[in-house]
Amino acid sequence: MRHSDIPQKLATNPNAQVWWAPVSTELATLLDRINKVAGPTGDRMVAATSILQAELAGILEIEALIPELSSAIRGGEQAVNARRAAGAFYTPSSLVEFMLTRTLDPWQHDNPSRLPVILDPSCGTGRFLLAAGERLVTAHVSSTGVSSTDAWQLIGPHLLGFDSDPLATAWLRGRITMLAGGEPTAAAGIRTCNAFDESALPSAEVDIVLGNPPFGTPLRKLGDAELLRKKCAAITGSPLGPYADLAAVFLLLASHALRDRGRLSLVQPLSVLASRDTQLIRADLASRCTTVFAWASSVPVFDADVYTCVLGVHVGVSASRSTISRWADLPARALAPTPPPPSGASWSTLVSAAFDVPDPPAIETNGTIADFADATADFRDQFYGLKGTIVECPGDLPPGHVPVVTSGVLDVAECAWGVRAMRLLGEKWTRPVIRLGALSQAMQEWATNRMTAKVMLPTQTRILEPVLDEDGRWLPSVPIVSVSAPPQDLAHIAAVLASPLMSLIALHRHLGTARHPQAIKLAARDVLALPMPSHTAFLHHAAAEFRLAQNASTNAKRVHHLQLSGACVHDAFGLSAADADAVFAWWTSRVPTRTAATQGKRSVHT
Ligand SMILES: C[S@@+](CC[C@H](N)C(=O)[O-])C[C@H]1O[C@@H](n2cnc3c(N)ncnc32)[C@H](O)[C@@H]1O
């Protein structure tokens, strides 16, 4: 599109519903025009704002250019980074419409004679507000017979939007004004501001919140992090964790802007469902609101490489625990509903089905791993503390040296140290050992504690991959959780962790905490909270099979014994043959090739 085409587009296509993808020549044309209006000494942001509001609000193709335009004017060559920093990734119209249907429609059903006040606290160019306005205008026109211009004059002031990007708000203001026949008061609710200003989100009072707040930035990285933590703490009672996502802060404050019976639907990062640092937000929501629906996409739907979900809630907690509807992908397809998560638990179960993680079957338990074992995870200090102490050991281990392992050489019931190469601290190693004498005093104490009988459990893996280290031979590097227990219990715990059921339970509980939704990331306390089975005779068999798997002379034998171990664990949890088969089938579809040959007999019952 050349700039000379713009007035014609405005004349011929003022209400086009297609959001065009931008191309760089269009941006260049627009920048050229802005430069001309600003002149050599003028403010380009002011010029761009007035052009967008006064001249270009009728052209929907311009809207998709605005994040880049904004970045280009502000950040020059840093344009892409500036866009990422602002989290300016607009929502696809199919998701906007889906969220409106599940939020605005039920609100109107409950309040047939009132017009709602609708807020998007980070409205960008107003995709949610314009689509909501469109629905309200259409309904008003059909029920009263007034013109659409008159309807926009009435409905426009009910649309509230905050955004820190002046170009996005200018275009949106211009667009609502245009739809209302040039009446600027229709766009009075659109403000250029930081949503967290006292006069913005914290003092808003609305019927509906819709939107897609900026995310990906942990609270601790924000300039106003302390202020925000205080604002949140005033609501939740204690400060949020430093890794809580900015989007979760929007969720918390926006939910407090809702009037009685108000409804909210916000796009969120998956981490909000499961991370410890957002637990207070989940608890606050659960205490005041009912979660009505959840949506997630198994593939990223925004340009940014993030997996997202949508949470839909309404204010008020009913005595009966109604189920939550679950949806996946676009166009959205319905999945089986789920009961609300128990108090204090993660909310991963709201979206796990969207990632093909089935709900685990009912099981018979005997407490948790914490009743039998202890678990410890190490952190960056222990990781970097190994620097300068690693050497290759081609032959026998010299005294004072211990083999160090990473998750790269661990498979279920198998440690491939010395067989498979691994990377550690940026270097490739074949037989890496630590010179204990070269470690600092604190690291030596740490190493002594780790060189004991344990189960090593890597995290961020597709299935749980425990390895038994009954002799305390290996020094585990980060991120491997070490599980210690009395000698007679260690193999039992390894067998339980290695079972397909435990991978399923772990991912179902903690989906959203890892970098990728299909990876299982467990903190030490999460490992300890996993269940132990009630039928101990089967568990003894499972432990024996796990030992045979770990000592197997061939991979085929390891896989065979693992399969029997898993089947025994499933029997120990009282799974039916059908449930055991279903869990095995899910697990088999995701295991690494070396362990994948797990076919055939899946339950001791069969
Ligand atoms: C993911 S975009 C969503 C825009 C729009 N709601 C949509 O869904 O298309 C996030 C928006 O948040 C805005 N934003 C970032 N930080 C903000 C803040 N502190 N206050 C208000 N808006 C902010 C960005 O400018 C960007 O327009």
Side-chain angles (χ1 to χ4, degrees):
M1 181 183 58
R2 284 169 294 120
H3 179 252
S4 56
D5 292 340
I6 289 174
Q8 195 184 346
K9 287 262 176 196
L10 179 57
T12 58
N13 193 18
N15 292 313
Q17 285 301 310
V18 184
W19 305 104
W20 280 17
V23 293
S24 57
T25 48
E26 292 170 339
L27 186 60
T29 310
L30 201 49
L31 279 167
D32 194 37
R33 164 105 172 103
I34 290 163
N35 288 339
K36 279 200 187 105
V37 171
T41 54
D43 184 329
R44 293 200 309 159
M45 192 56 95
V46 172
T49 306
S50 84
I51 292 172
L52 283 169
Q53 183 164 343
E55 296 176 28
L56 302 180
I59 305 175
L60 285 176
E61 296 89 319
I62 289 291
E63 184 259 8
L65 289 177
I66 287 176
E68 273 89 354
L69 178 64
S70 205
S71 301
I73 291 180
R74 280 208 191 101
E77 286 167 10
Q78 304 298 313
V80 174
N81 291 340
R83 178 185 189 165
R84 282 189 185 278
F89 296 94
Y90 296 163
T91 311
S93 57
S94 52
L95 185 55
V96 169
E97 295 298 336
F98 168 78
M99 289 163 68
L100 277 171
T101 301
R102 319 220 77 73
T103 310
L104 177 59
D105 290 5
W107 188 92
Q108 285 182 296
H109 179 266
D110 294 344
N111 303 271
S113 55
R114 269 211 307 131
L115 269 180
V117 176
I118 303 177
L119 167 68
D120 181 342
S122 58
C123 62
T125 50
R127 291 189 176 190
F128 284 98
L129 295 177
L130 288 171
E134 201 70 56
R135 285 193 185 203
L136 293 174
V137 163
T138 305
H140 190 68
V141 166
S142 88
S143 67
T144 61
V146 299
S147 71
S148 116
T149 304
D150 285 349
W152 271 104
Q153 286 177 8
L154 173 76
I155 284 152
H158 287 250
L159 307 176
L160 309 187
F162 309 135
D163 203 286
S164 46
D165 180 355
L167 299 188
T169 47
W171 186 85
L172 176 57
R173 239 181 261 119
R175 179 126 195 115
I176 295 177
T177 304
M178 184 202 79
L179 291 165
E183 177 49 61
T185 55
I190 309 305
R191 288 172 49 192
T192 310
C193 62
N194 179 347
F196 303 118
D197 288 348
E198 231 13 79
S199 65
L201 191 48
S203 47
E205 229 190 284
V206 301
D207 300 302
I208 290 175
V209 173
L210 288 159
N212 173 9
F215 55 81
T217 316
L219 205 45
R220 74 186 174 95
K221 285 209 171 157
L222 294 167
D224 49 359
E226 265 325 293
L227 195 69
L228 278 182
R229 287 185 91 194
K230 279 196 186 126
K231 273 195 168 95
C232 296
I235 296 171
T236 56
S238 2
L240 297 183
Y243 292 96
D245 197 290
L246 175 61
V249 177
F250 270 90
L251 172 65
L252 176 70
L253 296 183
S255 71
H256 280 268
L258 287 173
R259 293 177 180 143
D260 195 28
R261 300 166 68 92
R263 286 179 184 259
L264 168 149
S265 175
L266 281 182
V267 181
Q268 290 286 300
L270 288 179
S271 63
V272 79
L273 301 172
S275 89
R276 197 159 57 123
D277 286 1
T278 49
Q279 165 57 28
L280 287 172
I281 296 179
R282 295 193 292 274
D284 179 76
L285 273 178
S287 69
R288 299 177 298 109
C289 302
T290 301
T291 305
V292 183
F293 77 95
W295 168 93
S297 172
S298 54
V299 292
V301 292
F302 298 91
D303 285 351
D305 186 23
V306 285
Y307 290 84
T308 47
C309 63
V310 171
L311 285 178
V313 307
H314 73 69
V315 175
V317 184
S318 60
S320 65
R321 279 165 52 92
S322 52
T323 55
I324 299 167
S325 74
R326 295 189 288 187
W327 302 81
D329 300 328
L330 289 173
R333 62 194 160 82
L335 304 168
T338 185
S343 159
S346 96
W347 288 14
S348 305
T349 50
L350 302 191
V351 299
S352 46
F355 294 93
D356 289 330
V357 180
D359 295 329
I363 52 175
E364 293 159 24
T365 62
N366 173 26
T368 66
I369 292 181
D371 299 326
F372 301 85
D374 220 341
T376 325
D378 298 312
F379 297 99
R380 25 180 315 128
D381 284 358
Q382 287 77 32
F383 182 71
Y384 290 108
L386 297 179
K387 214 168 179 177
T389 69
I390 314 170
V391 287
E392 275 291 353
C393 174
D396 290 343
L397 268 185
H401 289 66
V402 293
V404 58
V405 300
T406 64
S407 39
V409 290
L410 301 183
D411 271 335
V412 197
E414 181 180 59
C415 177
W417 182 90
V419 177
R420 200 185 306 155
M422 63 190 223
R423 292 196 72 80
L424 182 56
L425 285 162
E427 283 182 63
K428 195 171 173 188
W429 306 91
T430 311
R431 292 170 59 86
V433 296
I434 302 293
R435 284 182 293 134
L436 290 173
L439 290 173
S440 69
Q441 187 61 38
M443 284 295 288
Q444 283 189 26
E445 280 165 29
W446 166 78
T448 308
N449 286 335
R450 289 292 164 278
M451 299 300 291
T452 53
K454 62 190 168 292
V455 173
M456 298 185 288
L457 184 68
T459 66
Q460 300 265 16
T461 50
R462 281 177 65 83
I463 57 165
L464 296 180
E465 298 179 334
V467 176
L468 198 50
D469 181 17
E470 288 181 294
D471 305 326
R473 282 166 56 198
W474 291 304
L475 188 63
S477 161
V478 176
I480 297 171
V481 175
S482 297
V483 184
S484 54
Q488 70 276 12
D489 292 332
L490 263 189
H492 295 68
I493 289 166
V496 167
L497 288 170
S499 68
L501 177 68
M502 219 40 54
S503 285
L504 176 60
I505 290 176
L507 188 55
H508 193 255
R509 282 187 188 178
H510 299 289
L511 193 149
T513 49
R515 279 191 291 273
H516 191 280
Q518 292 295 354
I520 307 172
K521 185 179 171 199
L522 297 182
R525 68 180 167 280
D526 303 328
V527 176
L528 292 176
L530 292 170
M532 286 294 281
S534 60
H535 300 282
T536 42
F538 286 121
L539 186 55
H540 292 323
H541 285 302
E545 291 295 341
F546 187 91
R547 266 209 192 87
L548 290 172
Q550 185 142 341
N551 296 325
S553 54
T554 65
N555 189 51
K557 285 183 182 162
R558 177 183 70 99
V559 168
H560 170 73
H561 290 296
L562 271 181
Q563 175 203 335
L564 290 175
S565 174
C568 291
V569 171
H570 292 173
D571 287 335
F573 276 110
L575 291 198
S576 68
D579 282 343
D581 274 358
V583 173
F584 250 110
W586 172 82
W587 184 81
T588 305
S589 70
R590 40 190 306 119
V591 298
T593 334
R594 278 176 55 73
T595 309
T598 320
Q599 302 294 337
K601 194 169 157 64
R602 289 176 175 155
S603 162
V604 175
H605 294 314
T606 56

